[in-house]
Amino acid sequence: MDLISADPTPVPAKSSSSSASASASSTPSPAAASAGSHVNQPMSTKTTLGEKKSKRATLMQIQNDTISVAKAALNPVKANIMMPQRQRQKKKPVSYTQLARSIHELAATLDQKSSQKQLVNHVFPKLAVYNSVDPSLAPSLLMLNQQCEDRNVLRYVYYYLARILSDTGMSPGGGIPTPNWDALADIDAGGGVTRADVVPRIVNQLTSEASNSETEFHARRLQALKALTYSPSGNSELLSKLYEIVFGLLDKVADVPNKRKKGVFGTKGGDKESIIRSNLQYAAMSALRRLPLDPGNPLFLHRAAQGVSFADPVAVRHSLEILSELAARDPYSVAMTLEKLASPAVGALQDILHLNDVLARVALARLCHSISRARALDERPDIRSHFNSILYQLLLDPSERVCYEAILCILGKYDNTERHGLESSFRSFSRPVLHAAARVVQEMGKSRAAAFAMGLQDIDESVHVNAFSDVLDDAETNDSSHPEGIRRTSSISAGPGRNETIASLLASLMEVVRTTVACECVYVRGMVVKALIWMQSPHESLDELKSIIASELSDPAWPAALVNDVLLTLHARFKATPDMAVILLEIARIFATKVPGKIDADVLQLLWKTCLIGAGPDGKHTALEAVTIVLDLPPPQPGSMSGLTSLDRVSASDPKSALALQKLVQAAVWFLGENANYAASEYAWESATPPGTALMMLDADKMVAAASSRNPTLAGALTRLQRCAFSGSWEVRIVAVQALTTIAIRSGEPFRLQIYEFLYTLAEGGVQSQLSEMHLSNGEDQGVSGTGLGVLITPMLKVLDEMYVGQDELIKDIRNHDNANKEWKDEELKKLYETHERLLDFVSLFCYIPRAKYLPLGPISAKLIDTYRTKHNITASSGSTDPTVLATGISDLIYESTQPAPAASNSSGLDDDLVNAWAANLGDDGLLGNNAPAMSRVNEFIAGVGTDAPDVDEENVFSRPSVGYDDMWAKTLLENNELEEDDARSGSSSPDSTGSVESSISSHFGGMNYPSLFSSKPSSQATAKSSGSKYQSTYEGYGSPIREEPPPPYSYSESQSRESFENPMAGSSSRSYGSDDDEPRKSTVTRFGTALYDFTAGGDDELNLTAEEELEIEYEVDGWFYVKKKRPGRDGKMAGLVPVLYVNQS
Amino acid sequence: MKLRKGPLSIFQAEEARQRDDDDEEESIIKKESRRRKEGRKEGRIMILAVLFANSVGNVLIERFNGVPAEERLTWRSFLVKLGAENLKGVKNEELLVACHKSVYIVYTMLGDVSIFLVGKDEYDELALAEAIFIITGAVKDICGKPPTERVFLDKYGRICLCLDEIVWNGLLENTDKDRIKRLIRLKPPSEF
């Protein structure tokens, strides 16, 4: 009788190799092998046709697969079910094929009692292990179905027919993965029967059975209907057939007026006829519930409403579920249909309250909920009150499931009764109950948070949030005193009591967490913590919550997913209540300190970011503190491990968490670098400190003091970052240096100088010995420069150097001008402006800065730059508003657009990357000299953007045939948005090569209808240098219309003074466009004027004036006119600058 | 030239924040509504899985409803792992709970067999507790006592039939013991 032989270990296992091998090992392998061969025999004899031989290999393969699964599934079973006398072969496993054969044979000999017994006791139960059976069994099953009388056999037959119907072939529903029977049938494994063959037959037979109205047959009718519902819903033909059957059945059984009223004795009472009817009602309702809901079909509503009064509880449940789903879509018609049932007079719905079926009551709660808050029913308060009253009665339901559902339904409309229910739940020992209760409290907290967010200080006011659901109540009473409702106490009297209940609720929640007796389940505790987070009000102390979380997290049982889930809850809570940023960040800090290994850096960064943005001015500091605290985490303790290398230390402790911590620290450092300026509200472009002030504070101590007094937030961040630049692992140090550079670029003085000094010493490598002994402990190769960071820092320092040099020169120039009392000439301004733009480009390579506002030359340059811009009609903001930069990020832009140009330049079919590498290395070698070529690649890789060292070197750039960021940008602009109006980024000088400068400028101004001198003489450049040739080819590549010919007569140039744009590098390079500059400017729109007074020129570019002299005004710049005289003056000059006030415009 | 991918810095974020937030929220809303729609389309399947495993973690019976084939393996191993970690020394029929996003899991131990139920939406931890209670009751009835693995396998066929009556197409169907007993013998649910 035993299904599985004496060996209890084996299991119907999964196909997963582990379990299969596990059970295989417990099976004597010879037996398995012999079983395999044994099974194969009958199959191979079947394939008699020669043409099928080729398929045999495949067949065997699949067969073997099947067998191995079967082997795993059914371990030693009596070898041959057909011959029980051969007990000695007990250990032989039964294969699927054997079972299938047995079914065929037993179906043929059904008249014998023993056959039926065999089927019920051996064959069918074993077959159940296979989730489905192959279609070739269907004929035998159908034969059994027709001929067999034995109920047990028939039950199995229906079971298997349902499995065949539900088996979609590709995705078995579970159990032993079944082979794809159709595929097997194709190669004749299943006797050539496919699902397509048998399914219609099965459906036909089941359909006819389901329609059989014989009384004795009705049990089978039920099962037939049930089996039919298993067929996949994709088959529309079958579906319509099913609808037909179900509704036909309901036509017959549902319309009879409610008999149950007669037999008040419940389901037991009643005559045979009504019982049969009720059974059929059940079958029809259950089937209907499984069919796709068609809201457009009024029959659904009609029948489901009838179903509420059915005698069978399961049928009632299904009707209610259908109704509640319909009500979610169309509450009005459902309410209208149920109007009579809901009224207390009829009480059909009220009866359900006493129905012993939990899910039925849950469905009722949902139904009442969707109807009672439907706006469509605003004019029918009577109906809504019926449903409301039922809902409130459900609050008192003995089943937690129903009670909680009702609580969730009326959330926001608080009542004390439900709290008591909840509190008692917290004393429950059942984990599901605890979990659900905590979840309900969490939902309460959410609605509370929503109420707060709506500006409602008191929770009970949230009634107004749900005002529309309360119109009914409000209609009955006035606003101030809350309605008694059904069971509610007035909120005024409940005022203090309510707060008490919340407090006690929280107290019991916390107790749940603490009393780990009933609740060692982390999921329950996780849910409770989430509930606490939601219930935490912004004005209450959070010490308790913090301590709870801290103690919770020290439990190693918490899975990472759950921890992150709680973090995300914090995030959601913050979004709901931004006031709580500080509190939430403090909690997040606990997570970072307690379980660094389990939290996802991305999740933490998301939280930081959201808090930083959302938090007020105070919050920002805390937010940043929360980030920096991560950096203070103990594990990689420098100093404590003096002789050991960091690698040893990592492996000594838990390597996984050490690694995770490392990543977390990296993330924190990066975040700090990117966002410290934001948090500290310290921006270079908003800084008021003149650069000179900082230069005077060269004493490091003074500087630090000044910095921290000025902006403690940023100073704090800097200190941490500086520490990281020393003490972290090399990854952290690299990120830290980058972060520092970012801050240096973005902050004003004295921070920039402070960082500059720090970086400088770091690059020199000498600083460590003074500042810390930490480097001793981290045990890594410090590299030639001591910290190993020199390579990385050099380009950064260069940028800062450039900036300071620029600033110095500017100050010098300004002094010169002031002393000499000279005015700024256009050329000087241009030079200044170009330096400005060049520096901007450098800086942009390291981090994002708003180009329009950023002043690399210091605030002092603002006025001059502005002058130049207005004079030349340059819109400064084009850079930062460019959508492509924001969308793709600068870095992407560089990366993506770097590729085409070198390919074009070499056009030798070289790999783009190779060319890039070559180009970069060339520059590197020229620049840094001591760098290994590969170093730059490493730098690029590690540093991401901007450490492409050659970009910052002035001397070498010209020989480097590579394309820079701006060049690319220009091209992208040209390609993508040629029409962009305000793209007069005249200063888009590339730091990299003149070629690219030219192309960028020409493309800019070509597109912008600007005359460009560069574009008019490409050929000379092209021949001059390699960069020129590249320039030319890129030129072609981008299909610029301007080539080898003077620019077309732009309308713009007609109306504006003709301008020439000088190569930004021209001043220091051999290239000169001086002649262009010297060209007198022409103007087509000429104004005239007369000199009012005599004026003596103060500089070379100024012009002597005699009163009454007639002048031609070319243009105005910053209070000066550039004028031309009709005839040369005493000094022989024809044109020059004169003060505006000296000229009377005519 | 590999570029580090990180979250947007505040500088970029500030400007892209609005758009970002919208996207984020939009996608969440979309996802949610899509999920709901799918739930409806899928014929309201809410008991996602019923799974029986033995003490060493081999699956004895599994019934997935509305779980894509590619996710089943994940669920299978997740559940087995969950059981292996938490079911040691748990009393018979003591319910344990877990949740993953909006999916609830209730599981328990019965004799040598552990039973897992996975559900969502309407089938939250309490409804699943209800269902698992019925299932364990049915299994006990069939096996006469908390089953050893051996006994469980002996009664495998009938357990499958019972399960078929209790969970039908992902929805809890019959909850009454007698009724289930009648139905697996092909008798009508209510006898006359």
Side-chain angles (χ1 to χ4, degrees), chain A residues 42-77:
Chain A
M43 300 309 297
S44 47
T45 50
K46 268 189 199 169
T47 51
T48 47
L49 289 172
E51 56 172 338
K52 287 182 179 167
K53 276 192 175 177
S54 61
K55 287 179 174 177
R56 195 169 294 169
T58 333
L59 167 70
M60 296 295 239
Q61 179 59 42
I62 295 175
Q63 193 68 24
N64 284 335
D65 289 350
T66 317
I67 289 161
S68 63
V69 172
K71 230 160 48 193
L74 286 182
N75 268 341
V77 179

Side-chain angles (χ1 to χ4, degrees), chain A residues 381-402:
Chain A
D382 53 323
I383 295 184
R384 290 196 355 184
S385 75
H386 293 323
F387 284 97
N388 253 337
S389 81
I390 296 174
L391 196 52
Y392 283 115
Q393 288 177 54
L394 285 170
L395 277 179
L396 301 175
D397 199 277
S399 155
E400 284 102 355
R401 178 70 187 85
V402 182

Side-chain angles (χ1 to χ4, degrees), chain A residues 12 151 172 291 435 674-675, chain B residues 9-10 44 59 72 125 186:
Chain A
R151 285 179 178 278
L291 295 177
H435 192 268
E674 279 300 313
N675 300 318
Chain B
S9 81
I10 295 268
R44 300 150 273 171
V59 178
R72 288 180 186 173
E125 57 286 75
L186 202 71

Side-chain angles (χ1 to χ4, degrees), chain A residues 2-4 6 8-12 14 19 128-129 131 151 154-156 159 172-175 218-220 222-223 226 229-230 272 275-276 279 282 286 289-293 312 314 317-318 321 325 329 358-359 366 400-401 404 431-433 435-436 439 521 523-524 575 605 612-613 670 674-675 678 683 685 738 746 848 891 895 940-941 944, chain B residues 1-4 6-15 17 19-21 24-25 40 44 46 54 58-60 62-64 69 72 76 78 82 94-99 104 106 121-127 129-130 149-150 153-154 156-158 160-161 164-165 167-169 171-175 179 183-192:
Chain A
D2 56 345
L3 173 64
I4 309 293
T9 38
V11 188
K14 301 271 48 42
S19 58
V129 170
N131 190 45
R151 285 179 178 278
L154 281 171
R155 182 62 188 85
Y156 273 116
Y159 174 78
H218 88 278
R220 292 184 64 177
L222 260 60
Q223 289 298 337
K226 176 173 178 174
T229 60
Y230 273 105
K272 185 177 170 184
I275 287 176
I276 290 176
N279 285 341
Y282 154 73
S286 298
R289 172 91 176 102
R290 266 80 186 180
L291 295 177
L293 191 65
D312 191 287
V314 183
R317 183 213 307 161
H318 289 316
E321 281 171 350
E325 268 187 53
R329 297 169 198 214
V358 172
L359 287 173
R366 293 187 166 202
E400 284 102 355
R401 178 70 187 85
Y404 294 169
R431 291 184 194 87
V433 170
H435 192 268
R439 199 161 50 86
C521 171
Y523 286 95
V524 173
K575 283 206 156 185
Q605 276 197 353
L612 205 56
I613 293 171
W670 182 86
E674 279 300 313
N675 300 318
Y678 175 83
Y683 300 111
W685 50 95
Q738 286 169 348
R746 285 178 184 165
Y848 174 82
S891 45
Y895 180 50
E940 283 165 15
F941 177 78
Chain B
M1 195 200 274
K2 281 255 166 73
L3 295 164
R4 187 152 57 97
L8 286 177
S9 81
I10 295 268
F11 281 93
Q12 288 147 307
E14 250 185 319
E15 276 152 286
R17 177 157 64 107
R19 192 189 51 213
D20 241 21
D21 274 7
E24 211 169 282
E25 263 150 41
R40 271 178 203 149
R44 300 150 273 171
M46 284 174 289
N54 67 2
N58 289 329
V59 178
L60 299 175
E62 60 176 5
R63 295 285 180 270
F64 283 110
R72 288 180 186 173
R76 216 175 273 148
F78 175 76
L82 198 67
E94 187 174 345
L95 297 180
L96 284 91
V97 69
C99 78
Y104 306 100
V106 173
D121 295 347
E122 203 173 309
Y123 288 90
D124 61 8
E125 57 286 75
L126 289 173
E130 196 93 2
E149 192 175 334
R150 168 75 184 274
L153 291 174
D154 275 353
Y156 193 88
R158 290 191 62 198
C160 282
L161 290 182
D164 188 47
E165 294 293 351
V167 180
W168 170 359
N169 260 357
L171 296 171
L172 188 64
E173 181 70 14
N174 292 299
T175 52
R179 200 176 156 117
L183 281 168
I184 64 167
R185 296 203 181 91
L186 202 71
K187 289 178 179 168
S190 313
E191 206 83 70
F192 31 87

Side-chain angles (χ1 to χ4, degrees), chain A residues 614-785:
Chain A
D618 321 334
K620 280 181 189 169
H621 183 79
T622 327
L624 215 61
E625 281 291 302
V627 178
T628 50
I629 213 86
V630 175
L631 307 182
D632 294 337
L633 293 184
Q637 258 172 19
S640 67
M641 302 271 183
S642 46
L644 282 176
T645 68
S646 67
L647 273 175
D648 288 341
R649 195 167 68 239
V650 167
S651 54
S653 70
D654 176 14
K656 231 174 143 187
S657 71
L659 218 64
L661 186 74
Q662 204 66 261
K663 284 187 87 176
L664 211 61
V665 168
Q666 256 176 286
V669 168
W670 182 86
F671 186 87
L672 217 56
E674 279 300 313
N675 300 318
N677 285 89
Y678 175 83
S681 310
E682 161 72 38
Y683 300 111
W685 50 95
E686 283 166 20
S687 166
T689 323
T693 333
L695 287 173
M696 283 179 271
M697 298 192 288
L698 269 173
D699 185 359
D701 295 338
K702 268 189 216 155
M703 210 157 56
V704 171
S708 56
S709 69
R710 241 186 89 113
N711 195 328
T713 313
L714 193 59
L718 278 183
T719 321
R720 308 245 195 220
L721 283 178
Q722 289 177 347
R723 224 191 79 185
C724 288
F726 283 124
S727 61
S729 67
W730 64 272
E731 295 103 325
V732 173
R733 293 208 310 263
I734 287 169
V735 183
V737 168
Q738 286 169 348
L740 280 171
T741 314
T742 306
I743 296 180
I745 286 171
R746 285 178 184 165
S747 326
E749 306 296 352
F751 301 102
R752 187 181 292 166
L753 198 61
Q754 189 188 342
I755 297 170
Y756 177 77
E757 202 209 8
F758 175 79
L759 286 181
Y760 188 75
T761 33
L762 200 62
E764 294 292 305
V767 77
Q768 281 172 330
S769 46
Q770 329 163 2
L771 288 186
S772 77
E773 314 88 53
M774 290 162 181
H775 70 289
L776 292 175
S777 69
N778 72 38
E780 289 173 29
D781 180 13
Q782 299 295 327
V784 278
S785 57

